[in-house]
Amino acid sequence: MSGRALPLVSALAALALTLALAAAALALGGYPPGEAFGALLRGALGSPQAVVSITLVRTVPLLLTGLAVALAFRAGVWNIGAEGQLYAGAVAAVWVGLHAGALPGWLAVPAVLTASVTAGAAWAAVPALMKLRLGVGEVITTLLLNFVAIDLAAWLVHGPLQEPRGVFPQTESIAEAARLPLLIPDSRLHAGFAVAVVLAAVLALLLRYSRVGFSVRAVGASPPAARSAGRMPVGRVVAGAFLVSGALAGLAGGVEVAGVTYALYENLSPGHGYTAIAVALLAGLHPVGVVGTAVLFGVLEGGASAMQRSAGVPAAWVDGIQALVILSVLVVDRVARRILVARGGRG
Amino acid sequence: MADAAVLTAFLEASVRLGVPLALAALGETLSERSGVINIGLEGSIIAGALGGALGALATGSAGVGVVAGAAAGLAVALVFALFVVLLNTDQIITGTAVTLAGLGFTAVVYQSRFGTTGTALTLPTLDPWPVPLLADLPGVGTALFAQAPTTYLAYLLAPLLWWLLFRTEWGLEIRAAGEDPDAAAAAGVRVRTLRVVTCLAAGALAGVAGAHLALAHTGTFSEGMSAGKGFIAIAVVVLGRWNPLLVLMAALFFGAASALQFALQTLGFDVGYQLFLAFPYVLTLLALAGWVGRARAPAALALPWPRDGA
């Protein structure tokens, strides 16, 4: 990602390109683009209530999984498995949350979140081990594990963890004590938002200023150079980045359960772990940038149903836009690189 | 003779489920041999499924549907090839985006055409074509040789692609592009053109695989029905060591693994439907873990070329 020389300019250029492509595709499908975008923006940002209870709530899992992907990609780890790690975290969070009734709140919530972090890291440990010990590339393994995690969660809500009446394919609600407190009273915005923003700042500082962060960046830039010139334990850096990435994605699942749904059900995530790739790339893999792009995708997803209601545009449209964002980032990145090379040639 | 019936049904399902994997994996073998890994294969498959469904619906002919599916898969692969080969973008990220685009926009087209709550689509299906004589073989005859015509395409393509890759000048150029594109280019091989061609071929075959899913399996289309088959197909290429003949066998083996769920359910094993669904993915992971050390990928696979970038 050499476009990082001018990250904000690159991101804005990619966004403009996405908007143009999206408008063209909407018009091609017979929908007036202005009307569709207007409905989307009104749905996501039309009132303080919409901003807080729809858009920002939607931002939280995107922010956490976006950080997970950004960290992994920075270390040169192609973790496409944030979706599966999110489900692993959600399953663990629900399991602990269902049994946490007797615990006081100050203990129950951390227990639930710790469980989700651990489960996400454990789910990422499988492809990490396969990569480092067996030499199996992580792209396919992380993708396959997404399907396993989703099927596993579906099995649990139809079987062992199904609510006692056995009517709905979902678990019982987790104990009151295990739920995240609200950040703003009378809204749906929970403390997970604050947790995610703080984690973004911590990650940014660590990547920028700490030795570990330097190792991650060096290994991501060039593993052989980091090994020979920097004498870095490349394997350990890769493993660490992989596990922390999985932990962040797992936390996304835990926070979603403890802050929003209070239960596990099928299709808990509409593909947050995949959207996260667009979130991270548009941010130039920078944690602070991820906060901004996560909000942007929160707007997109938050407004999608309003767009469907008032402009008749299928909500699935937003899934296509995330792909357009990634492709636009790639185009802008290539163009930026060519400009830089041309300038360098003259100087 | 209930057991014999179960066995016949199992073999029949093995081939039916293995064929889309085989078609997609055979195309992917070709593109990976030329140095391009296409994670967007999944996007080509789902586009092929929708293209196949729409084509069959519009004309009432499943055969036309297969052609439309191939065209849709090829169109998706064209986007991928333009980015990866001409813009020299990262293959993994581009492929992921292409898959997401395929899944997203097929859902959009399906929803705007048929609504979100509509009843399942009923499509013309690909009828089995029994091969004279072979279909009458005892035991395996019907399973292997009384299948949809797309099945025979897979049977024929495997030896054809093997011959192409290992016995022709063109195959040598493809392999050279995948092992050492610099040397290949210096020797006069048009690396980029070759890679575009192999990517498009892989996309068209993945499109046929998708059409097979919609028209030979179920006679319907549903959102996300490709269900990761593109990713499993990429693993199948590894297990088949980038050799079309072995790739076909690996694909049929995976078809058998997926068919096992139906056979076991028929025999009364009940461990939960969703766990059965997870089985092929777990098996793929186990196979990769146990097998991959013995295989060697084309040396330039997934690397940008030319190296200097711009």
Side-chain angles (χ1 to χ4, degrees):
Chain A
M1 297 287 111
S2 58
R4 227 180 269 146
L6 292 164
L8 195 61
V9 176
S10 290
L12 289 176
L15 263 184
L17 185 57
T18 305
L19 263 178
L21 287 172
L26 271 175
L28 206 67
Y31 306 104
E35 195 183 313
F37 287 141
L40 188 143
L41 289 178
R42 272 195 306 281
L45 304 170
S47 66
Q49 186 66 17
V51 172
V52 171
S53 289
I54 296 177
T55 298
L56 289 185
V57 169
R58 218 34 201 260
T59 300
V60 176
L62 295 173
L63 174 48
L64 287 169
T65 50
L67 292 174
V69 172
L71 173 65
F73 283 18
R74 282 295 273 277
V77 172
W78 298 117
N79 179 13
I80 324 274
E83 184 77 355
Q85 291 141 19
L86 181 152
Y87 270 95
V91 166
V94 159
W95 192 79
V96 171
L98 288 173
H99 296 89
L103 296 176
W106 60 267
L107 196 58
V109 171
V112 164
L113 297 186
T114 307
S116 67
V117 165
T118 313
W123 205 253
V126 176
L129 274 174
M130 286 179 77
K131 177 184 172 76
L132 293 168
R133 286 290 153 81
L134 303 170
V136 185
E138 70 274 28
V139 175
I140 296 298
T141 51
T142 49
L143 275 166
L144 291 172
L145 278 164
N146 290 344
F147 290 92
V148 178
I150 290 167
D151 287 338
L152 195 65
W155 173 67
L156 286 171
V157 299
H158 280 100
L161 287 184
Q162 190 173 23
E163 45 93 21
R165 285 183 304 156
V167 180
F168 300 107
Q170 63 180 62
T171 63
E172 253 189 301
S173 290
I174 59 172
E176 297 266 358
R179 299 177 189 181
L180 280 165
L182 289 178
L183 207 56
I184 299 172
D186 299 322
S187 79
R188 292 179 55 220
L189 190 65
H190 52 86
F193 181 76
V195 172
V197 171
V198 168
L199 278 174
V202 169
L203 201 60
L205 291 173
L206 283 178
L207 272 176
R208 184 89 175 77
Y209 296 109
S210 75
R211 276 189 65 154
V212 176
F214 178 70
S215 301
V216 165
R217 287 183 287 138
V219 168
S222 168
R227 186 178 286 121
S228 58
R231 302 189 178 195
M232 289 170 191
V234 171
R236 266 166 53 196
V237 173
V238 165
F242 218 144
L243 293 185
V244 174
S245 172
L248 285 165
L251 182 62
V255 162
E256 208 53 7
V257 163
V260 181
T261 65
Y262 305 137
L264 181 69
Y265 48 84
E266 275 184 288
N267 308 322
L268 178 86
S269 161
H272 293 316
Y274 297 112
T275 309
I277 298 169
V279 168
L281 287 174
L282 187 60
L285 305 184
H286 194 288
V288 172
V290 169
V291 179
T293 53
V295 171
L296 187 78
F297 277 85
V299 169
L300 264 181
E301 295 196 348
S305 54
M307 181 174 75
Q308 176 152 19
R309 268 197 314 277
S310 47
V313 181
W317 231 86
V318 171
D319 298 337
I321 290 185
Q322 70 192 14
L324 290 183
V325 167
I326 301 177
L327 293 175
S328 301
V329 169
L330 289 171
V331 170
V332 168
D333 185 59
R334 298 309 301 173
V335 172
R337 181 184 286 216
R338 279 180 199 194
I339 292 170
L340 288 177
V341 167
R343 278 187 191 161
R346 261 179 286 143
Chain B
M1 292 307 285
D3 287 354
V6 169
L7 188 64
T8 306
F10 167 67
L11 286 174
E12 191 276 327
S14 302
V15 174
R16 184 164 39 86
L17 296 169
V19 162
L21 288 178
L23 289 168
L26 285 170
E28 179 73 12
T29 304
L30 204 58
S31 77
E32 291 200 13
R33 277 288 183 179
S34 76
V36 181
I37 184 167
N38 184 1
I39 309 287
L41 208 60
E42 176 85 359
S44 279
I45 294 179
I46 191 70
L50 183 63
L54 293 177
L57 207 60
T59 61
S61 152
V64 175
V66 172
V67 176
L74 186 134
V76 171
L78 181 64
V79 175
F80 175 79
L82 284 177
F83 270 80
V84 162
V85 179
L86 297 184
L87 279 176
N88 207 4
T89 57
D90 184 274
Q91 295 182 10
I92 303 298
I93 293 177
T94 311
T96 307
V98 165
T99 284
L100 292 174
L103 291 169
F105 286 118
T106 50
V108 167
V109 170
Y110 178 76
Q111 286 179 14
S112 52
R113 179 88 198 269
F114 304 105
T116 46
T117 52
T119 46
L121 213 54
T122 310
L123 301 169
T125 49
L126 279 171
D127 293 323
W129 281 7
V131 180
L133 300 178
L134 289 175
D136 299 328
L137 287 175
V140 295
T142 44
L144 288 172
F145 298 110
Q147 294 273 5
T150 36
T151 311
Y152 311 126
L153 179 64
Y155 294 169
L156 295 176
L157 265 176
L160 187 72
L161 289 181
W162 180 86
W163 175 79
L164 187 105
L165 274 175
F166 298 110
R167 289 292 181 271
T168 68
E169 187 77 10
W170 203 59
L172 183 64
E173 292 185 356
I174 290 176
R175 288 184 289 134
E179 292 293 340
D180 190 340
D182 287 330
V189 174
R190 297 168 68 171
V191 173
R192 291 184 161 188
T193 312
L194 264 187
R195 286 183 170 182
V196 170
V197 170
T198 59
C199 282
L200 294 184
L205 282 175
V208 174
H212 177 97
L213 284 181
L215 301 172
H217 274 217
T218 51
T220 188
F221 175 86
S222 57
E223 290 171 34
M225 74 184 297
S226 48
K229 293 206 169 48
F231 309 135
I232 294 184
I234 291 171
V236 162
V237 174
V238 178
L239 302 176
R241 301 188 200 180
W242 293 271
N243 175 340
L245 297 173
L246 296 178
V247 164
L248 174 64
M249 287 199 277
L252 292 177
F253 171 73
F254 269 88
S258 312
L260 205 57
Q261 54 179 306
F262 304 118
L264 289 177
Q265 276 170 333
T266 317
L267 292 173
F269 288 93
D270 183 23
V271 296
Y273 167 69
Q274 294 83 8
L275 282 191
F276 273 128
L277 287 184
F279 183 62
Y281 311 110
V282 174
L283 188 80
T284 311
L285 286 162
L286 290 175
L288 282 174
W291 192 265
V292 80
R294 289 178 247 172
R296 198 186 66 80
L301 186 64
L303 298 178
W305 187 84
R307 298 282 304 168
D308 54 331

